[in-house]
Short mmCIF file of all heavy atoms in Angstrom, two decimals:
data_model
loop_
_atom_site.label_atom_id
_atom_site.label_comp_id
_atom_site.label_asym_id
_atom_site.label_seq_id
_atom_site.Cartn_x
_atom_site.Cartn_y
_atom_site.Cartn_z
N LEU A 115 -9.73 22.43 23.73
CA LEU A 115 -10.68 22.59 24.83
C LEU A 115 -10.32 21.72 26.03
O LEU A 115 -11.01 21.74 27.04
CB LEU A 115 -12.10 22.25 24.36
CG LEU A 115 -12.66 23.18 23.28
CD1 LEU A 115 -13.99 22.67 22.79
CD2 LEU A 115 -12.79 24.60 23.81
N GLY A 116 -9.24 20.96 25.93
CA GLY A 116 -8.74 20.23 27.08
C GLY A 116 -8.99 18.74 27.09
O GLY A 116 -8.56 18.05 27.99
N LYS A 117 -9.68 18.19 26.11
CA LYS A 117 -9.96 16.76 26.08
C LYS A 117 -8.98 16.09 25.12
O LYS A 117 -8.90 16.44 23.96
CB LYS A 117 -11.39 16.49 25.63
CG LYS A 117 -11.77 15.03 25.69
CD LYS A 117 -13.25 14.85 25.42
CE LYS A 117 -13.64 13.41 25.64
NZ LYS A 117 -13.56 12.60 24.47
N LYS A 118 -8.22 15.12 25.63
CA LYS A 118 -7.25 14.42 24.80
C LYS A 118 -7.97 13.41 23.92
O LYS A 118 -8.81 12.66 24.37
CB LYS A 118 -6.23 13.69 25.68
CG LYS A 118 -5.15 13.00 24.91
CD LYS A 118 -3.81 13.53 25.30
CE LYS A 118 -2.70 12.73 24.67
NZ LYS A 118 -2.34 13.18 23.36
N SER A 119 -7.62 13.40 22.64
CA SER A 119 -8.23 12.47 21.69
C SER A 119 -7.24 11.35 21.41
O SER A 119 -6.30 11.52 20.65
CB SER A 119 -8.59 13.21 20.40
OG SER A 119 -9.09 12.32 19.46
N HIS A 120 -7.46 10.18 22.03
CA HIS A 120 -6.52 9.07 21.87
C HIS A 120 -6.64 8.40 20.51
O HIS A 120 -5.72 7.72 20.06
CB HIS A 120 -6.72 8.03 22.97
CG HIS A 120 -6.29 8.51 24.31
ND1 HIS A 120 -4.98 8.75 24.63
CD2 HIS A 120 -7.00 8.82 25.42
CE1 HIS A 120 -4.89 9.17 25.87
NE2 HIS A 120 -6.11 9.23 26.37
N GLY A 121 -7.76 8.56 19.85
CA GLY A 121 -7.93 7.97 18.53
C GLY A 121 -7.47 8.87 17.40
O GLY A 121 -7.61 8.53 16.23
N LYS A 122 -6.90 10.00 17.75
CA LYS A 122 -6.45 10.99 16.77
C LYS A 122 -5.41 10.38 15.83
O LYS A 122 -4.48 9.74 16.26
CB LYS A 122 -5.86 12.17 17.53
CG LYS A 122 -5.20 13.20 16.67
CD LYS A 122 -4.64 14.30 17.55
CE LYS A 122 -3.57 15.07 16.83
NZ LYS A 122 -2.96 16.08 17.67
N GLY A 123 -5.59 10.60 14.54
CA GLY A 123 -4.62 10.14 13.56
C GLY A 123 -4.78 8.69 13.16
O GLY A 123 -3.94 8.16 12.45
N VAL A 124 -5.85 8.04 13.59
CA VAL A 124 -6.09 6.64 13.24
C VAL A 124 -7.46 6.53 12.60
O VAL A 124 -8.44 7.06 13.10
CB VAL A 124 -6.02 5.72 14.49
CG1 VAL A 124 -6.37 4.29 14.12
CG2 VAL A 124 -4.65 5.78 15.12
N LYS A 125 -7.51 5.83 11.48
CA LYS A 125 -8.77 5.58 10.78
C LYS A 125 -8.96 4.07 10.69
O LYS A 125 -8.06 3.35 10.26
CB LYS A 125 -8.72 6.21 9.40
CG LYS A 125 -9.98 6.03 8.59
CD LYS A 125 -9.81 6.68 7.22
CE LYS A 125 -10.87 6.17 6.28
NZ LYS A 125 -10.48 6.28 4.90
N VAL A 126 -10.14 3.59 11.10
CA VAL A 126 -10.44 2.17 11.07
C VAL A 126 -11.56 1.92 10.07
O VAL A 126 -12.57 2.61 10.09
CB VAL A 126 -10.87 1.66 12.47
CG1 VAL A 126 -11.34 0.22 12.41
CG2 VAL A 126 -9.73 1.80 13.46
N GLU A 127 -11.35 0.95 9.19
CA GLU A 127 -12.38 0.54 8.23
C GLU A 127 -12.69 -0.93 8.46
O GLU A 127 -11.78 -1.75 8.59
CB GLU A 127 -11.89 0.72 6.80
CG GLU A 127 -11.87 2.14 6.32
CD GLU A 127 -11.47 2.22 4.85
OE1 GLU A 127 -11.96 1.39 4.05
OE2 GLU A 127 -10.67 3.09 4.53
N LEU A 128 -13.97 -1.24 8.53
CA LEU A 128 -14.40 -2.63 8.65
C LEU A 128 -14.78 -3.12 7.27
O LEU A 128 -15.72 -2.62 6.66
CB LEU A 128 -15.59 -2.73 9.61
CG LEU A 128 -15.36 -2.14 10.99
CD1 LEU A 128 -16.60 -2.25 11.82
CD2 LEU A 128 -14.19 -2.81 11.67
N ASP A 129 -14.03 -4.07 6.77
CA ASP A 129 -14.22 -4.61 5.43
C ASP A 129 -14.72 -6.04 5.56
O ASP A 129 -14.58 -6.65 6.62
CB ASP A 129 -12.86 -4.58 4.71
CG ASP A 129 -12.95 -4.83 3.24
OD1 ASP A 129 -13.80 -5.64 2.83
OD2 ASP A 129 -12.16 -4.23 2.50
N LYS A 130 -15.30 -6.58 4.49
CA LYS A 130 -15.74 -7.98 4.54
C LYS A 130 -14.56 -8.93 4.70
O LYS A 130 -14.70 -10.03 5.21
CB LYS A 130 -16.57 -8.32 3.31
CG LYS A 130 -15.86 -8.22 2.00
CD LYS A 130 -16.79 -8.64 0.86
CE LYS A 130 -16.34 -8.33 -0.51
NZ LYS A 130 -15.03 -8.48 -0.94
N ASP A 131 -13.37 -8.48 4.30
CA ASP A 131 -12.17 -9.31 4.42
C ASP A 131 -11.46 -9.16 5.76
O ASP A 131 -10.59 -9.95 6.09
CB ASP A 131 -11.18 -8.96 3.30
CG ASP A 131 -11.76 -9.19 1.92
OD1 ASP A 131 -12.60 -10.11 1.79
OD2 ASP A 131 -11.40 -8.46 0.99
#
Side-chain angles (χ1 to χ4, degrees):
L115 296 174
K117 185 172 186 269
K118 183 121 173 87
S119 177
H120 290 292
K122 173 181 159 183
V124 176
K125 180 181 163 204
V126 173
E127 285 185 43
L128 305 178
D129 192 324
K130 62 178 168 41
D131 299 329

